[in-house]
Amino acid sequence: MAQPPIHIRPGDTELRTWDDPRRGRAAFRLLVSADGGPSSKLVQGVAEIAPGESEARHRHDRPETAYVLSGGGRLTLAGQDIVADAGEMFFIPEGLTHGWLAGEEGLQILWTFPGDRFADVRYDWAED
């Protein structure tokens, strides 16, 4: 039997933050994760990075898609800096080191991972 659809509003989910030298400074809301509601094989959320702030370089144990909803900045992907503007989509293969730096308008990203729960996504933070 198929799972019922779910409708999530921005205020329905908890704002989580990272603010430390290892991970950088970013906030995010989980939209789809089996920890917070019906989900199967999909984890999705929205990250917000304030102007001039960053999410430190890291890699995951699974692929990720990242769609820039608003603002812009830079994605460092496998050692290359790529301009990331609103409306652009990025596919980040499993194990590829990447990090985000927000421009002067900040950066808002819709991200997606295959999997049931966000807690199952392994982050390996790059060491300088």
Side-chain angles (χ1 to χ4, degrees), residues 1 4 14-15 19 46 58 62 68 73 80 82 107 110 122:
M1 184 159 125
E14 171 190 356
L15 181 66
D19 185 2
V46 174
H58 61 283
R62 59 196 72 207
V68 181
Q80 293 186 323
I82 302 167
L107 184 60
L110 175 70
R122 192 180 78 231

Side-chain angles (χ1 to χ4, degrees), residues 56-85:
R57 293 182 310 117
H58 61 283
R59 62 184 170 270
H60 310 285
D61 62 340
R62 59 196 72 207
E64 175 184 14
T65 62
Y67 179 78
V68 181
L69 292 169
S70 65
R74 189 175 73 219
L75 168 62
T76 301
L77 187 60
Q80 293 186 323
D81 287 337
I82 302 167
V83 173
D85 289 322

